[in-house]
Amino acid sequence: MIDAIGSGLEQVLQWETLLLMVLGIFIGFIVGILPGLGGAVAIALLLPFTFAMEPVQGIVFLLSMWIVTGTAGDITSVLFGIPGEATSAAAVLDGYPMTKKGQAGRALGIVLTSSTIGLVFGAVVLGVFITVIRPLVLVLGPPEFFMLVLLGLAFVVTLSGKSPAKGMAMVALGLLASYVGSDPSAGLPRFTFDQMYLWGGIELIPVVVGLFGGAEVLQLMLTRSSIATGSIGDAKLSGTMRGVADALRHWFLAVRSSSVGVVIGMLPGLGGTVAQWVSYGQARQTSKNPEQFGKGAIDGLVAAGATNNAKDAGSLIPTIAFGIPGGAATAVLLGGFLVLGITPGQAMLTTQLDVTFSMVWTVVIAGILGVALALALVRPLASLTRISGTVLTPVLFLFLVIGAYTASNHWGDLFVMLGASVLGVVCLRWDWPRVPFLLALVLGALLEQYLQLSDTLFSSGWLTRPGVIIIGVIVLATFVFSVRSVARDHKRRAADEPVEGPRTQVIRTIGRNK
C-alpha cells in the first residue's frame, strides 16, 4: 500500500504528466467559467485526446480538468450571480450579494479557500476509503460484481428525477445499444444490419461526445447573446486575503460541510446538487446569524465552497471500487477509465493500485494549483463569459468532430456522434434523463460478461451465494424506495392543487366560449 502511494505520487510528478495537468487545469477553467457546460461536458469533449496517453497521464488530464470546473463555476456565481454549473448554485445566494456590496474580492477569497479545504478533505477520505474497502472488494467474485452492476442500474431510478418510467426506458435503450456488435460467447453478429462498422459495437466516445458535448453545443447555438449578461462594474476585486482569513477562521464549518459533500457524493443519484443544499441548510441551522443568509453571509459561502469540491472526491469512491458512477460527470469518467484500459473494482485495488492513488494525488495537486490560478487570474477568466455563443459554437463543434472521428478513424463515428447529439437535444427538450442511457451503455457489456462468467464457473449455484442475496435485497429495496418516494411526491403535488367545484368549472367554460 505504501509503495503504491509513493508510486502514484512519482508518476504524477513526471514532467510530461505535470504539463498535462496544467493543460487540464487551464481547459477546466475555460469550460467551468462558461455557464451551462460543466465537468461532464469537459470530459466528453476531450476524452478522445487521451487515446495516445498512458493510463496515469490520461487520468491526470481528465481529473484535473474535472476538479477545476467546480472551482471555476464558483467565480461566475460570485461575480455575476450565474452558476457556472448546477452544483455551484448555492454560492450565488451569498457570494453575489457580497459582490453587489463591493466585496467581490473578499467573496472570492472565501469561496476559493473553502474549496481548497473541501478538496483536501475529500482526497484524504478517498485515500483512506480505498484502504478500507480493498479487503471487501478482493473477496467478491463475478456473481457479486454482476449484482453490483444491477445495483448501479437500479440507482438509475434516482437519477431519473420525477419520472422513473423515463429513466427505465432510457436504460432499456442503453442496454439495447450496448449489445450491438458480435456476441462474445458465440461470435455471431447482433443488431449490425450488415454493417462492418457495427461488428465491434457502438463506440463509446462518439456517444459520450454527442450526448453531452454535442447536445450542449446545439443548445448554445440557439443563444445569440453573450453567456453572461451581468457586469463586474466597479466591484472591488481587492480584499482577497481578507476573504482567505475569513474562510480559515471558519475552518470547522468548512470541514463539516466537506463531510456532508463526501457522504452525499458517495450516494449514486444524489450528487452535488443535493449536497450543496443540504450543506447550506446545516450551516444556516448552526449559524449564530441565520438572518444574514442570502444577504452575504460568510457561513453560507464557506459551506457552499467547501461542498463543491468535496462531493467530487466522494463520487469517485463508488466509481473506483464498484464501477457505479455517482452522477453524470463520473459516468462519463467511467467511460474514460475503460478507454484507457482501467477496469474499476478489483483491478484498481490490486494490480492498478498505483493508478488509483495517482488519482488521489491529482485531486489534491490540481485542486490547489487551480485555486492559486483562480486567485491570480480572476478578471481575465471572468471576461470569457462575454464571448458570444455564436463565436463559441464553431470552435466547440470542431472539437466534437475531431474527438468523435479519432475514436476509430471511421466516418461511422461522426454519424454516431450526430445521432447521440440529436438524442441529447431531444432529452433536454422533453426532459428525458441522459445519464441512465450512458450508464446502461457502459454497464451493459459488464453485465453480460459477469453473467457469463458466473454461469460458467458456478452454474446456477451462484444465485444462492450470500453476497448475491444481500446485494439483491439492496437492489430491490433501492428500486422500491425510489418508486414509492416518487409516487408520494405525485400524491403530494396532486393534494396541493386547488380542486375546482362545479360552479368554477361552469364559469371557466362560459369564459372560454366568449
Side-chain angles (χ1 to χ4, degrees):
M1 184 70 67
I2 296 177
D3 291 341
I5 295 174
S7 177
L9 178 60
E10 182 180 355
Q11 294 180 65
V12 170
L13 294 181
Q14 297 290 328
W15 70 269
E16 301 97 333
T17 309
L18 284 176
L19 285 178
L20 288 171
M21 179 185 292
V22 173
L23 179 61
I25 290 172
F26 181 73
I27 296 174
F29 259 114
I30 294 177
V31 174
I33 208 169
L34 298 174
L37 296 183
V41 177
I43 299 173
L45 286 173
L46 295 176
L47 180 59
F49 297 94
T50 62
F51 273 155
M53 300 181 188
E54 296 294 327
V56 172
Q57 293 179 348
I59 286 298
V60 168
F61 178 65
L62 296 176
L63 261 187
S64 58
M65 180 171 52
W66 174 44
I67 290 295
V68 169
T69 54
T71 302
D74 288 335
I75 296 177
T76 52
S77 297
V78 170
L79 295 181
F80 302 106
I82 304 174
E85 52 182 336
T87 56
S88 302
V92 174
L93 297 183
D94 293 293
Y96 192 53
M98 292 183 69
T99 296
K100 291 193 290 186
K101 295 176 183 178
Q103 300 178 344
R106 183 183 182 186
L108 288 172
I110 293 172
V111 74
L112 293 176
T113 303
S114 56
S115 294
T116 306
I117 297 174
L119 70 90
V120 172
F121 180 85
V124 171
V125 173
L126 175 61
V128 171
F129 197 89
I130 289 172
T131 62
V132 174
I133 201 66
R134 185 167 180 260
L136 173 62
V137 174
L138 292 181
V139 301
L140 301 179
E144 287 78 17
F145 277 104
F146 171 78
M147 296 303 299
L148 285 172
V149 173
L150 280 182
L151 179 61
L153 294 176
F155 277 122
V156 165
V157 179
T158 62
L159 289 167
S160 305
K162 300 175 182 178
S163 180
K166 290 182 179 180
M168 297 309 296
M170 294 300 288
V171 167
L173 185 61
L175 288 175
L176 186 64
S178 71
Y179 295 138
V180 172
S182 57
D183 188 333
S185 59
L188 299 175
R190 299 182 302 193
F191 310 115
T192 58
F193 305 102
D194 296 327
Q195 298 293 323
M196 288 295 296
Y197 168 74
L198 295 176
W199 274 58
I202 296 178
E203 290 286 345
L204 178 63
I205 286 182
V207 174
V208 173
V209 169
L211 192 63
F212 288 90
E216 298 296 343
V217 169
L218 290 177
Q219 290 285 98
L220 183 62
M221 189 168 56
L222 301 176
T223 305
R224 301 203 176 264
S225 60
S226 59
I227 293 177
T229 57
S231 174
I232 300 177
D234 296 328
K236 297 181 180 178
L237 293 176
S238 58
T240 304
M241 296 310 299
R242 182 183 177 186
V244 172
D246 289 334
L248 293 177
R249 191 167 61 252
H250 292 80
W251 66 270
F252 184 72
L253 173 62
V255 172
R256 192 171 72 230
S257 302
S258 301
S259 304
V260 173
V262 170
V263 172
I264 296 181
M266 290 173 58
L267 303 176
L270 296 183
T273 305
V274 175
Q276 63 175 334
W277 298 116
V278 173
S279 178
Y280 188 83
Q282 61 87 23
R284 190 179 189 279
Q285 290 175 350
T286 58
S287 175
K288 296 180 180 179
N289 302 297
E291 71 281 354
Q292 293 298 319
F293 275 63
K295 302 176 182 178
I298 294 176
D299 302 21
L301 197 53
V302 168
T307 307
N308 200 20
N309 278 337
K311 50 85 179 170
D312 291 336
S315 65
L316 283 173
I317 293 174
T319 307
I320 292 173
F322 306 111
I324 301 176
T330 45
V332 181
L333 190 64
L334 179 60
F337 288 172
L338 301 179
V339 168
L340 293 167
I342 301 172
T343 305
Q346 289 186 349
M348 294 195 72
L349 300 178
T350 53
T351 58
Q352 296 178 325
L353 188 59
D354 57 333
V355 177
T356 303
F357 276 106
S358 71
M359 297 172 63
V360 178
W361 288 113
T362 300
V363 171
V364 175
I365 298 174
I368 294 176
L369 290 178
V371 170
L373 183 63
L375 292 172
L377 301 175
V378 166
R379 189 176 289 275
L381 289 171
S383 65
L384 290 174
T385 59
R386 303 288 171 219
I387 301 176
S388 172
T390 56
V391 175
L392 278 177
T393 301
V395 178
L396 295 177
F397 187 77
L398 179 62
F399 272 102
L400 292 175
V401 172
I402 295 175
Y405 184 74
T406 52
S408 60
N409 294 327
H410 194 286
W411 290 105
D413 294 331
L414 297 181
F415 290 103
V416 172
M417 183 269 289
L418 291 175
S421 300
V422 172
L423 177 62
V425 171
V426 170
C427 291
L428 291 173
R429 173 65 179 82
W430 282 280
D431 196 24
W432 281 68
R434 293 174 293 174
V435 174
F437 175 83
L438 179 63
L439 203 61
L441 180 65
V442 172
L443 298 180
L446 294 176
L447 192 73
E448 184 178 19
Q449 174 187 344
Y450 288 132
L451 179 60
Q452 290 181 351
L453 284 174
S454 301
D455 185 64
T456 301
L457 296 176
F458 305 100
S459 186
S460 60
W462 66 271
L463 292 170
T464 60
R465 288 166 65 101
V468 171
I469 296 175
I470 293 173
I471 300 174
V473 171
I474 297 175
V475 170
L476 183 61
T478 301
F479 183 80
V480 171
F481 176 79
S482 301
V483 172
R484 287 186 62 185
S485 63
V486 171
R488 191 162 50 247
D489 290 339
H490 279 299
K491 290 182 179 179
R492 186 181 301 115
R493 286 195 298 271
D496 292 338
E497 292 179 356
V499 180
E500 294 185 351
R503 178 182 176 84
T504 305
Q505 294 176 0
V506 170
I507 294 174
R508 178 168 295 181
T509 302
I510 295 174
R512 281 199 300 265
N513 293 335
K514 288 183 179 180

